Amino acid sequence: MKRAFRSTLLSTLLVSSMIALSACGGNAQNNSASSPDSGSASPSAGASASASEGGASDGKPVVIRHTMYDTEFTSEMVAEFEKTHPNIKVELVSADYNKLMAMMAAGNGPDIIRTNTNELPGYVLKGMALDLTENFNSSSVFHTDDFYPVVNNFRYDVTTGAQGTGPLYGFPKDWSPDFTIYYNKKMFEAAGIPVPSATDAMTWKEIVELGKKLTVANGKKVSQYGLVYFNGSTAANQDLMNLQLLQQGGSMFSSDFSSADLKTPQVKDLLNFWVDAAKSGVGPSPLHQETDWGGQLFVDNKAAMIIAGYWFSGFLKTNELTKDRLADFGVAPAPMAEGGKRISPTAFGTGAVIYKNSKHPKEAWEVFEWFFGGKPAEDRAKEGYGLPGTKTLAAMLPQTTEFDKLNYDFIQNELQYTEGTLPYSPFLNYQAVNSVFEKYFTPVYFDKDTVDGAAQKMTEELNTLIAEGKDLISPE
């Protein structure tokens, strides 16, 4: 769905595989607070303008531009849509985050903007996203009682700063509970260890201890890792820690995300936990660096378990190294915090919003509704490279082969634990936070700093970046 992943490398891998990234989706995870949008209005200015308004007045077809990838919204889809909607032309706009912001500043923003769940709050705060609540409520294609909880990740309350409540600004194309576990049965057999339960979740401590038993090393050289993460190291990072904190009812941020604090006992306990994991060699880390992402290590038989999502089953089905040995693999629930709540959310569910200042919101909604709720959505569900946003579409997921049935049955159970939104700050750039962890926490693994010292430095740096991000969104 390795947004390291959500790095350019994994983005390419996932897009080419038609995989969603929770976890999905695959851009570089640039949070919408990363650069100023001098041409955007305040979040409250016209944010609820109806997408039923607008339209061409000269009889010429309206051009609706979007930033979905051409592997997602294909030329064949465009032709199919335009055949039944002769009043609308659909065009692709290739735009990274910086180009997108420049287009917004110039008043030339695309009508439909690809986004991930962790980017949504920033887009809303910058006045870029149109409130689509009434469109969904009145749609004959979408039925809100059919939505999975993941759709709430596209809700945002500007007043409270809470993601998951408030107006609905977008919809997922595909997503996954990105912290579930895929494992290699043969490696468990070789180690004489029973495979995990497909329904009962292990704790984080248990999964790491299990991973240690599956790790094979010759001195300091690891030839088989016990546990890898699709989006980075098996070490302290914002994704894994955000999930653990969510499960514990905590966060490294204040409730309104206006400040960060990594000096709390709860956060420092987790930092210490991941230092111990890294030093054990259970997975790639600054102490055991790898050039390949976790999925490649897994298909190369260099990892016994990987933290990934439903999309990874599609990756295994199409990968040349695994497609003919699918019986070797199993899937287990996302780990949970000891004494915490079992939550198995998406990390980077991929979808889109409609630009608030679109000149043709009515036609943009027609395209949006067709792509996210019509035949393209049905086709994506049948392919099984990610989960859809509705229960009706989920019934179309592949169930033909034994491997498909395994994944379908597993996901039916895991879906009941997917409600919850990872606490990413809308004022922070995702990659900037990764850089803060890398800069200040890497020395801890090498005993060049302490957890306390690094936590203090990271807190100070993150708060500086938050202040800058807030100024970019709401300059005084």
Side-chain angles (χ1 to χ4, degrees):
M1 230 166 243
K2 169 204 72 355
R3 273 144 178 299
F5 178 76
R6 315 277 176 174
S7 69
T8 303
L9 170 64
L10 190 52
S11 176
T12 302
L13 285 169
L14 297 187
V15 172
S16 64
S17 300
M18 295 294 289
I19 296 174
L21 287 192
S22 66
C24 325
N27 68 12
Q29 285 297 316
N30 285 320
N31 186 280
S32 52
S34 63
S35 64
D37 175 15
S38 59
S40 66
S42 65
S44 60
S48 60
S50 172
S52 63
E53 300 171 1
S57 59
D58 57 4
K60 295 181 180 179
V62 166
V63 176
I64 297 300
R65 298 177 302 153
H66 69 87
T67 62
M68 305 302 295
Y69 298 155
D70 58 5
T71 52
E72 298 170 324
F73 204 148
T74 65
S75 58
E76 291 79 10
M77 290 180 188
V78 170
E80 183 177 355
F81 177 84
E82 292 179 350
K83 185 182 299 184
T84 55
H85 298 77
N87 62 314
I88 302 174
K89 295 295 182 183
V90 179
E91 291 184 0
L92 167 68
V93 176
S94 297
D96 61 17
Y97 184 78
N98 290 332
K99 181 178 178 181
L100 178 63
M101 291 300 102
M103 294 173 68
M104 297 294 179
N108 190 35
D111 302 277
I112 298 174
I113 304 170
R114 187 184 197 274
T115 185
N116 302 307
T117 53
N118 70 318
E119 299 170 320
L120 188 279
Y123 283 168
V124 175
L125 287 172
K126 293 175 75 65
M128 293 168 57
L130 180 66
D131 181 348
L132 298 175
T133 306
E134 290 305 315
N135 296 82
F136 282 106
N137 288 341
S138 61
S139 174
S140 61
V141 174
F142 294 106
H143 303 283
T144 55
D145 59 354
D146 191 39
F147 290 174
Y148 277 126
V150 69
V151 176
N152 290 329
N153 282 267
F154 289 86
R155 295 185 181 274
Y156 187 74
D157 190 323
V158 175
T159 302
T160 63
Q163 186 174 3
T165 62
L168 182 56
Y169 291 94
F171 199 78
K173 175 182 69 72
D174 45 42
W175 65 284
S176 283
D178 288 312
F179 300 94
T180 52
I181 307 294
Y182 279 84
Y183 61 86
N184 186 316
K185 297 177 184 178
K186 289 190 173 181
M187 290 183 180
F188 275 78
E189 182 180 352
I193 299 173
V195 298
S197 167
T199 55
D200 298 330
M202 290 178 280
T203 65
W204 286 99
K205 181 179 180 180
E206 288 171 337
I207 194 73
V208 169
E209 290 302 315
L210 179 60
K212 290 177 183 178
K213 296 177 183 178
L214 293 158
T215 300
V216 178
N218 182 9
K220 293 184 178 181
K221 178 62 176 177
V222 178
S223 58
Q224 175 182 300
Y225 292 108
L227 180 67
V228 297
Y229 173 46
F230 84 99
N231 194 26
S233 296
T234 311
N237 65 66
Q238 60 179 321
D239 300 343
L240 299 176
M241 290 184 59
N242 275 339
L243 175 57
Q244 291 172 305
L245 289 165
L246 178 67
Q247 293 172 335
Q248 295 174 351
S251 174
M252 65 179 73
F253 303 105
S254 60
S255 59
D256 62 358
F257 294 97
S258 63
S259 64
D261 188 359
L262 279 68
K263 306 184 306 301
T264 66
Q266 186 181 43
V267 175
K268 287 196 293 185
D269 282 348
L270 293 176
L271 291 171
N272 276 302
F273 173 82
W274 288 113
V275 170
D276 292 341
K279 289 187 174 182
S280 75
V282 68
S285 73
L287 293 169
H288 299 86
Q289 297 189 33
E290 294 287 343
T291 55
D292 290 326
W293 70 289
Q296 190 62 47
L297 294 172
F298 189 84
V299 300
D300 283 340
N301 293 323
K302 295 179 181 178
M305 297 185 290
I306 183 172
I307 302 172
Y310 177 85
W311 59 267
F312 196 68
S313 66
F315 178 80
L316 293 176
K317 287 193 295 184
T318 56
N319 189 279
E320 291 296 326
L321 297 174
T322 53
K323 66 179 184 179
D324 296 324
R325 57 183 183 102
L326 296 175
D328 291 353
F329 309 114
V331 61
M336 60 180 291
E338 290 189 48
K341 183 178 180 180
R342 183 173 171 181
I343 304 175
S344 181
T346 188
F348 314 103
T350 301
V353 298
I354 292 179
Y355 182 36
K356 190 193 69 178
N357 295 326
S358 169
K359 295 179 176 65
H360 306 291
K362 176 179 180 295
E363 289 80 6
W365 172 254
E366 288 185 55
V367 177
F368 188 101
E369 186 178 46
W370 180 81
F371 181 76
F372 287 98
K375 185 176 182 299
E378 294 179 1
D379 291 342
R380 285 192 299 272
K382 292 173 183 177
E383 289 169 352
Y385 288 108
L387 298 176
T390 69
K391 301 167 189 174
T392 298
L393 290 172
M396 302 178 188
L397 292 170
Q399 304 174 50
T400 304
T401 68
E402 287 301 314
F403 189 68
D404 285 337
K405 291 176 183 177
L406 172 98
N407 285 281
Y408 183 84
D409 290 344
F410 168 79
I411 207 64
Q412 299 312 303
N413 183 68
E414 194 76 353
L415 280 170
Q416 64 184 305
Y417 304 106
T418 57
E419 188 164 8
T421 304
L422 292 181
Y424 294 103
S425 172
F427 308 116
L428 288 171
N429 175 284
Y430 179 89
Q431 294 294 1
V433 178
N434 282 347
S435 296
V436 169
F437 270 81
E438 181 179 357
K439 178 180 179 180
Y440 295 110
F441 207 71
T442 298
V444 178
Y445 301 114
F446 296 92
D447 299 319
K448 301 296 185 182
D449 200 352
T450 64
V451 166
D452 286 346
Q456 176 68 38
K457 296 180 182 75
M458 289 192 292
T459 297
E460 293 172 356
E461 182 76 3
L462 289 175
N463 282 321
T464 297
L465 294 174
I466 287 173
E468 294 172 354
K470 291 179 68 177
D471 286 343
L472 292 175
I473 289 177
S474 301
E476 296 181 359

